[in-house]
Amino acid sequence: MTTSDGQTPEMTEEHIDRLKENLEKVEALSKRLVEVMAGKKGHTSALDGPNQELFAKAATAYWADAWQNPAKLLEQQIEFWGKSVLNFAEAQQALTTGEVEDDDNAPKDRRFSNPMWETNPYFRFIRQQYQTNAQAIEQAVASVDDLDQKDLQRLRYFSQQIIDMMAPTNFLATNPDALERAVETEGQSLIKGLENLVSDLEANDGELVVKLADETAFQVGGNIATTPGDVVFRNQMMELIQYKPATEMVHETPIVLFPPWINKFYILDLKAQNSLIKWVTEQGYTIFVVSWVNADSSHADIGLEDYIEEGYLTAISEVKKICNVKQINAVGYCIAGTTLSLTLSLMKKRGDKSIKSATFFTTLTDFGEQGEFTPFLQNDFVNGIEEQVNRDGILKAWIIGRTMSFLRSTDLIYTPAIRSYMMGETPPAFDLLFWNGDGANLPGRMAMQYLRGLCQSNDFVSDGFKMLGHKLHIKDVDVPLMAITCETDHIAAWKDCYRGVQQMGSRSKTFVVSESGHIAGIVNPPSKKKYGHYINPDMKADAETWLKEADFHEGSWWPLWEAWLKKRSGKQVPAREAGDSEHPSLGPAPGTYVLVKASR
């Protein structure tokens, strides 16, 4: 350990005594830890890893290849042995001479930014050997070729998870940052870290869900989700919020925005500076937003048809009554965009022309390519989810959140865990991460319809998705539409979204690729002047060609969307107050449903 001036501090007897004193506090915390783990409810083991058949098939393929081509195996092993011996020899030399040579060929990895990973022989050896081991695993996986494409993709994913999990930064004895902090704070950082760990476990009935944000820093309806409005309708599925006008005149055709019910709607209203909802009112539109119910076990039998009938169709009907119009403009985000597509198909079958235009934010409709979710959409995992759903009646928010986090495990699991549990830091006061942790449960029946019928069977673009007496098909989506996708989106990859939009029956299609990812690419206010976007009216080509030939525009896509929407929003009328005589205010925005926390 070194101080800011590069000197090693003197560890006095007084320091050592205080360190021992702090570490004695571990006993009380350990008792709490044992108690919370003893009360852990548990869950089906299928949610924790792939069926062992995957690894058995991979091992069989690997050894079959080695038998046929032993020279390749020997070459890999000799390379691994050679690097391991060299790492050890360099460490021995450094310990003997006290000098460490610069390692210019070391892979750049921000986990190893502490200078001790380079200058201290012990940590340098650990870092080098970890990277050598990781490379050996990657080479072994890359040499397996006698598996189908999905199994290969899963093998690569889960082997990378093992590599990330075994990083030396994840363990106190091999994390110089954590050790330095422990000495500097006389062990207080470890006490605080253990308190954080026990608190997170207690908050989740023994399940380890790393808290990403300081929850005490935010209040929904207090300092986030503050755009003024009123709840004007409520049923078992949703609250319908009408936002107050910000202009004296508004466009006649209102907007109804359907957010995903996997998370809560206020991602679009975090704060005034980046609120899409607030910005829409300022452009002269009447906007309604659906706030979905946070499911509990009483909602176990609710399916996608209930979301369509009591959510989409009811919201559209009530907005038409309130605004005295025949048509509305609809917006769907993520899974809500997928379900908006199903709703449009159903309305086509029924001859209902209530939707004038549709906008899709990061929406998948063709699940033929499952992207980064491939590891979790095979039968072993989906069967495990179904078993857990049958037990609980719902798909719990922590399961969904954990799955999403493991797609970016270093950033969303290990790094926050290190800061909280080893360094003893309080999670940051970051509104986006607060929202990310404020999850929602899914009704069991709906979750399985989505996973089986849409994600696995891809019925909507193949034989048709059976629902409400009809076979719903993507070609039935024929209203004018705009699809906003995001270039680095790992949840709804833009190329997969593009393929779905290509198959829709609309004659008028506008497709946009925003820079950045699933959230930042959508929550991208013009005032920030941050992320640009791509446009190309020709959607006949494949996705790669579309992007290559697209025009890039600086800045947010929001003004582009508003100009497109204006042409489909009718004449100007006096601004509308919330509700009417048959729709009195049931309370101010953001309503009550959004305040319900997900059950554990």
Side-chain angles (χ1 to χ4, degrees):
M1 166 191 165
T2 56
T3 60
S4 57
D5 60 2
Q7 300 297 312
T8 300
E10 181 182 354
M11 288 299 295
T12 65
E13 187 174 339
E14 184 181 355
H15 282 98
I16 297 295
D17 288 343
R18 279 201 297 266
L19 178 61
K20 290 179 179 178
E21 206 174 289
N22 278 325
L23 292 177
E24 285 174 1
K25 297 176 183 178
V26 170
E27 185 176 349
L29 287 166
S30 297
K31 183 178 179 181
R32 283 174 58 194
L33 179 62
V34 170
E35 288 174 352
V36 70
M37 295 308 293
K40 182 179 178 181
K41 293 181 179 179
H43 57 267
T44 176
S45 59
L47 298 176
D48 294 328
N51 190 308
Q52 293 301 311
E53 182 184 353
L54 173 66
F55 296 119
K57 288 194 292 186
T60 300
Y62 180 81
W63 287 112
D65 182 58
W67 185 260
Q68 295 294 324
N69 187 5
K72 185 170 77 171
L73 175 63
L74 285 172
E75 182 182 355
Q76 292 175 351
Q77 288 297 306
I78 290 171
E79 182 183 3
F80 173 71
W81 295 339
K83 287 183 178 179
S84 297
V85 170
L86 182 61
N87 293 340
F88 179 74
E90 288 181 354
Q92 288 289 88
Q93 182 182 27
L95 287 168
T96 302
T97 64
E99 297 179 359
V100 179
E101 296 181 5
D102 291 337
D103 188 359
D104 296 330
N105 296 321
K108 301 303 178 185
D109 189 326
R110 55 192 174 88
R111 292 176 295 181
F112 304 119
S113 57
N114 189 309
M116 293 184 72
W117 289 112
E118 185 63 33
T119 60
N120 183 289
Y122 168 72
F123 289 112
R124 180 186 171 100
F125 172 68
I126 289 170
R127 189 257 304 166
Q128 287 180 324
Q129 193 58 40
Y130 167 72
Q131 291 171 331
T132 298
N133 294 343
Q135 185 181 38
I137 293 173
E138 290 166 354
Q139 286 180 343
V141 169
S143 68
V144 175
D145 53 17
D146 191 21
L147 291 177
D148 65 40
Q149 193 57 42
K150 284 187 177 179
D151 279 342
L152 280 172
Q153 186 174 348
R154 299 183 85 209
L155 183 63
R156 286 193 292 267
Y157 171 81
F158 289 114
S159 63
Q160 186 60 50
Q161 290 302 312
I162 294 171
I163 291 170
D164 292 342
M165 180 177 65
M166 297 308 296
T169 46
N170 295 338
F171 303 92
L172 176 63
T174 53
N175 186 321
D177 293 302
L179 290 170
E180 285 181 317
R181 179 68 60 86
V183 175
E184 288 169 0
T185 63
E186 298 167 337
Q188 188 58 42
S189 61
L190 298 180
I191 302 301
K192 178 60 178 174
L194 189 52
E195 287 176 347
N196 290 342
L197 172 61
V198 173
S199 294
D200 284 356
L201 288 168
E202 289 174 338
N204 295 282
D205 289 332
E207 296 291 351
L208 182 55
V209 180
V210 184
K211 187 182 296 182
L212 298 179
D214 180 2
E215 295 179 357
T216 64
F218 301 101
Q219 181 184 2
V220 178
N223 57 355
I224 51 176
T226 58
T227 300
D230 291 274
V231 177
V232 294
F233 180 84
R234 179 186 295 126
N235 63 15
Q236 71 159 346
M237 295 300 301
M238 52 101 181
E239 288 183 327
L240 183 64
I241 302 171
Q242 181 179 358
Y243 285 89
K244 292 188 182 300
T247 56
E248 292 185 1
M249 303 291 288
V250 296
H251 292 281
E252 183 178 30
T253 306
I255 298 169
V256 183
L257 193 155
F258 298 96
W261 50 91
I262 291 176
N263 291 102
K264 296 181 178 179
F265 79 88
Y266 64 86
I267 186 60
L268 300 172
D269 190 32
L270 281 176
K271 51 192 175 186
Q273 297 92 322
N274 63 2
S275 171
L276 176 66
I277 292 170
K278 182 175 184 291
W279 184 85
V280 168
T281 65
E282 292 170 345
Q283 309 314 304
Y285 293 87
T286 303
I287 183 169
F288 295 78
V289 175
V290 166
S291 176
W292 299 103
V293 71
N294 198 338
D296 58 36
S297 57
S298 69
H299 300 97
D301 293 328
I302 285 177
L304 279 169
E305 60 269 37
D306 299 297
Y307 278 88
I308 291 174
E309 289 278 22
E310 297 187 55
Y312 288 76
L313 296 179
T314 297
I316 292 165
S317 175
E318 298 303 322
V319 169
K320 285 166 59 180
K321 292 175 189 175
I322 292 170
C323 296
N324 192 27
V325 294
K326 294 182 178 180
Q327 290 185 306
I328 62 97
N329 289 315
V331 183
Y333 191 173
C334 193
I335 188 177
T338 306
T339 311
L340 176 58
S341 299
L342 296 172
T343 304
L344 286 165
S345 175
L346 178 66
M347 295 173 80
K348 168 85 170 180
K349 303 285 189 185
R350 292 179 174 179
D352 186 342
K353 298 183 179 180
S354 296
I355 294 184
K356 197 170 188 178
S357 77
T359 303
F360 301 100
F361 295 166
T362 63
T363 294
L364 289 170
T365 47
D366 183 347
F367 293 86
E369 297 291 335
Q370 297 167 343
E372 293 193 36
F373 281 97
T374 298
F376 301 105
L377 289 177
Q378 308 316 304
N379 276 330
D380 52 355
F381 266 103
V382 177
N383 290 344
I385 290 173
E386 188 165 29
E387 180 183 340
Q388 191 68 38
V389 160
N390 290 338
R391 182 188 304 177
D392 299 330
I394 55 176
L395 179 55
K396 293 188 175 183
W398 73 264
I399 297 175
I400 305 166
R402 188 179 71 167
T403 302
M404 297 291 189
S405 294
F406 267 111
L407 295 176
R408 295 292 183 270
S409 57
T410 296
D411 293 332
L412 295 178
I413 296 178
Y414 299 122
T415 298
I418 290 167
R419 289 173 178 165
S420 184
Y421 307 150
M422 288 193 207
M423 309 291 285
E425 297 177 3
T426 300
F430 187 11
D431 55 0
L432 178 59
L433 290 179
F434 171 81
W435 166 84
N436 186 71
D438 188 14
N441 302 319
L442 302 185
R445 184 162 175 268
M446 171 266 142
M448 297 317 301
Q449 284 175 306
Y450 179 75
L451 291 172
R452 296 290 194 196
L454 292 174
C455 296
Q456 285 193 313
S457 298
N458 203 23
D459 288 344
F460 190 48
V461 301
S462 54
D463 296 333
F465 191 74
K466 293 180 181 179
M467 184 160 289
L468 295 167
H470 295 278
K471 266 193 173 185
L472 308 181
H473 199 277
I474 195 169
K475 294 189 185 304
D476 299 325
V477 179
D478 62 357
V479 301
L481 65 88
M482 176 179 280
I484 314 297
T485 63
C486 301
E487 190 174 16
T488 59
D489 192 336
H490 67 287
I491 295 173
W494 78 265
K495 293 178 183 179
D496 298 332
C497 297
Y498 177 83
R499 191 174 61 252
V501 173
Q502 276 185 312
Q503 297 174 74
M504 292 179 178
S506 305
R507 292 183 179 180
S508 174
K509 302 176 186 178
T510 302
F511 191 83
V512 180
V513 175
S514 171
E515 291 184 308
S516 196
H518 193 71
I519 300 299
I522 297 299
V523 184
N524 181 25
S527 59
K528 291 290 184 69
K529 299 179 181 179
K530 196 168 185 180
Y531 300 119
H533 57 278
Y534 299 87
I535 308 171
N536 181 355
D538 184 5
M539 294 195 64
K540 295 177 182 178
D542 60 77
E544 292 285 359
T545 303
W546 182 93
L547 186 62
K548 183 179 179 181
E549 297 177 353
D551 295 323
F552 178 75
H553 298 264
E554 298 283 350
S556 172
W557 54 266
W558 290 12
L560 171 73
W561 176 54
E562 193 278 323
W564 178 87
L565 201 61
K566 184 185 295 185
K567 297 175 183 178
R568 295 160 176 83
S569 297
K571 63 184 180 181
Q572 294 279 303
V573 299
R576 305 171 172 108
E577 291 303 315
D580 59 18
S581 59
E582 296 182 4
H583 298 81
S585 174
L586 302 178
T592 59
Y593 281 9
V594 73
L595 302 179
V596 177
K597 295 294 183 181
S599 57
R600 300 298 179 182

